[in-house]
Structure formats: C-alpha cells, structure tokens
Amino acid sequence: MPATKWTDELLDPLRKAGDPPADAAIEEIYALGRQEQVREALLVLGGNSQAVPDGLPPKLQEYFSHSSVLPQWADEVLVARGQSLLGRYQGHIVTTLLCGSLPLCYGCGDGAQVLYRSTRLTQGVFRRLMETAQFVVDVLEPGSLKPGARGVRSAQKIRLLHATMRYHLARKDDWDTSWGVPVNQEDLAATLMSFAVIIPQGLARLGVELPAQDRDAFFHIWRIIGHIMGVNERVDPASYEDGTALVDAVLRRQQRPSEAGTVLTKSVLDFIREVLPTPLFAGVGPSLIRHLAGNRAADVVSVPPADITQLALTVQSPLSLGYGKAGDTVPLLAKASNELGLAVFKQGLRLSNKGRRYQWQVPTGLTPAP
C-alpha cells in the first residue's frame, strides 16, 4: 500500500470524526444522570474478565456487546506469537512506550491538547502512566484477547474513557475547533501506531532487531485493539509498512512545539526521576527520549540534552533483576532502558498499588479519579 494513501484529503475529515457507538453510550448516560451509578457498576469489571453487569443503560449494553466481537481477520496464531514478546523484552517495551511513543505523541501540537486539557496526565501523573503500562501488559498477556478477556475489557473501558473526554472537552469554551474533535479518528489511529510501530522501532534502536514475523505479529495485536477501540476502517493500517507511513504523515501534519506537549513530556521526565531516584540515573530520561524518539522530536517537546555520563560509571546497576534476552549484548542505553522498564514493574505495577493491578476507570468528569 503506497505511502501516498495518507494524504491531507483523507486525514483532514477524520479530525472531525469521533466514535458514534461509544459517544452515543456516554451521551445516554449523562442524559439519564446515571454517570456515577455507571462508573460504580463498571468497577465490578476490576479484574477485567467478569461479565458486564446487568442494569446498564441500553446503549452501553449494546456497546459492550458489539465491541467485544473480534474482527474476522483476527489470527490466534499471530496473536500468540506477538504476545510472547512481552516476556522476552518487558523492560525495553515499557521504556520505549515511556521514552519513545509518548514524547512523539506529545509533539503533535493538536493531539496533545486533549490530554493537557483533560488533566489525565498533568495531574496524578504516576497513576496515569502506570495505567498505560498496565494496559500494555493486559493486551500482551497470553490469552488476553479472547472474547471477554482482560485485554478486550481494558480496550473497551479506554474507548469509553475517550468518549467521556470528547463529551466534556467539546463542551468547554476553551476548546479550539481548529484542533479537531477531541480524541478524533486521526489521533486515535496515530496513538495506536505509537504502540504498533514505535515500539518495534524503539526495540531496534536498543539493539533488539525483531524478525519480520515477530514484528508483524506484534502489529497484528494492535490492529485488533484498534478494531475494539473503534478506529475507523479508513484509517486502520493493514500492515506494519502502512502503519509506518501513517506515522510519517501524522508527524508531517502535526509535529510542532506547544505548551501542552512540553508540560506532558516534563511529566514523563518527572515520573522517570521518581522511579529511578538515585543520582546515578539522573540523565536517563533525556538520554533515552533523545535516543528513542530522536533529537528533532525531543527538541519539539523541550527535552534537555542527553547525559548518561554517570550511568556509564557503573557496570552493574543495583536495580537489575537479571532477565531479558538483550541483557549483556546491547549498548549502554539499552541497559538503561531495561533497568527503567523493569523498575516500573518492580516499584510501580507490583508495589506502588499495594499489590493490586492498576486499571482504567471511566470518570464522571475530566479530573482524575482519586
């Protein structure tokens, strides 16, 4: 599929398009005044594998029923192959998400406005980033994409979160319509590619060159997630190469400095310093962002210069957990990446929430749930 498919003529209308099934469900909830009741009911799905509770509004029941059906082209063999990558490269995958995918998204001047104005990642930063890391785990765990399983439930809940953000932001006086519809179809597709394309690219930058079959299987998983999350077929890349072309097109259209992007990226850097607090790792965040997202993207979101001089003084980090195939065969930044990603799990997902898993919640407003 040629790169010229992703033209302005195709993408411009998609900035004005939301997600009708999810939007209808959220609008019905607010029209009925049942937002708090629904939020509490959905907490029953805390493990993300239970049945949808009875008594939800009709459009929400319909939403859960329809969005749980996987596309006919979903391939269980490809899914299983792609999911095996988490166990091998857990640390590198999480770090690439934090230091590659997120800064590239935040450098998109229009798309960054949603998170900035909803406060989802400018307040309660630690929790929000841990939720995103938990979502990656939910999707990549074996068996997570079977009907009603954890990965499907997580994607369904995040889709409702997006619809809630659209509902509120579109009604705010300070929302500039030139940015498009909040969480529009172009931004949804670009965010999906930040997982499906940017993570394999980041792994390659860290010395983990995936075989084409593994890379394509990983992409296939995220394509399924895009289907569950309501990505329009017109902007749903069918292959890794097509997805790469879409990333290039969106960056061409949107990459520029903004206050939103700078504030969001600073939140990521602060988060990294919290997870790796010792002076030894002081330069890890800027260095990894510049290595994984590139200097141009890092400059757009005001990332400080790279500095890993202190990290270079150590041979073995005290945070090393001793696993990950790339361990002793990749460069210094790959080692730092593995340390950061594993620390997110060790100090974050496993310990900081009192042993409980983080989960996405559908809020009743724009401020983070307590």
Side-chain angles (χ1 to χ4, degrees), residues 231-248:
V231 175
N232 190 297
E233 291 183 359
R234 297 181 63 200
V235 71
D236 181 17
S239 68
Y240 176 84
E241 292 77 14
D242 195 23
T244 301
L246 175 58
V247 170
D248 292 341

Side-chain angles (χ1 to χ4, degrees), residues 49-239:
S49 57
Q50 294 95 334
V52 176
D54 295 329
L56 295 179
K59 291 186 184 299
L60 187 58
Q61 290 276 14
E62 182 180 353
Y63 161 82
F64 272 108
S65 175
H66 288 176
S67 62
S68 65
V69 179
L70 300 188
Q72 290 185 344
W73 44 261
D75 187 318
E76 291 185 3
V77 175
L78 285 178
V79 168
R81 180 166 188 156
Q83 288 177 331
S84 71
L85 298 178
L86 180 65
R88 284 183 275 166
Y89 307 118
Q90 183 184 79
H92 296 311
I93 287 173
V94 171
T95 293
T96 301
L97 168 66
L98 292 176
C99 299
S101 303
L102 293 183
L104 281 167
C105 287
Y106 298 160
C108 293
D110 292 338
Q113 299 298 329
V114 171
L115 287 172
Y116 178 62
R117 291 172 184 278
S118 72
T119 74
R120 289 289 298 178
L121 279 175
T122 54
Q123 297 178 27
V125 174
F126 189 89
R127 174 172 180 147
R128 303 311 160 196
L129 291 175
M130 298 313 300
E131 287 173 337
T132 303
Q134 182 68 67
F135 174 54
V136 173
V137 174
D138 287 351
V139 167
L140 295 182
E141 282 183 333
S144 65
L145 295 186
K146 296 183 181 298
R150 178 168 287 169
V152 174
R153 285 284 185 257
S154 290
Q156 288 177 311
K157 288 162 76 174
I158 294 175
R159 184 175 176 183
L160 288 177
L161 168 63
H162 290 162
T164 304
M165 294 164 73
R166 267 191 301 275
Y167 179 91
H168 288 288
L169 285 173
R171 289 162 171 78
K172 289 178 70 71
D173 293 339
D174 64 349
W175 181 259
D176 188 336
T177 56
S178 69
W179 297 328
V181 170
V183 201
N184 59 68
Q185 285 292 328
E186 183 187 45
D187 289 344
L188 280 172
T191 301
L192 187 70
M193 293 303 101
S194 74
F195 294 90
V197 170
I198 302 303
I199 287 179
Q201 288 180 349
L203 290 177
R205 284 176 175 258
L206 295 169
V208 182
E209 194 74 52
L210 296 176
Q213 296 93 329
D214 285 351
R215 182 203 66 195
D216 292 344
F218 187 82
F219 184 91
H220 185 73
I221 289 173
W222 291 103
R223 191 180 178 210
I224 294 172
I225 293 299
H227 175 88
I228 297 170
M229 294 181 67
V231 175
N232 190 297
E233 291 183 359
R234 297 181 63 200
V235 71
D236 181 17
S239 68

Side-chain angles (χ1 to χ4, degrees), residues 246-329:
L246 175 58
V247 170
D248 292 341
V250 172
L251 291 177
R252 170 184 59 80
R253 287 162 53 81
Q254 284 204 54
Q255 193 175 54
R256 63 180 180 276
S258 69
E259 180 186 5
T262 297
V263 171
L264 290 165
T265 305
K266 182 180 181 300
S267 297
V268 172
L269 290 170
D270 291 343
F271 172 77
I272 292 171
R273 281 192 290 269
E274 183 175 352
V275 172
L276 297 178
T278 64
L280 178 68
F281 293 97
V284 165
S287 299
L288 283 170
I289 289 177
R290 288 190 173 275
H291 185 68
L292 293 170
N295 283 322
R296 178 182 176 185
D299 289 341
V300 165
V301 291
S302 304
V303 174
D307 180 10
I308 58 168
T309 54
Q310 294 187 75
L311 182 66
L313 297 177
T314 185
V315 176
Q316 180 67 32
S317 162
L319 285 174
S320 177
L321 300 182
Y323 64 90
K325 285 190 176 181
D328 298 324
T329 60

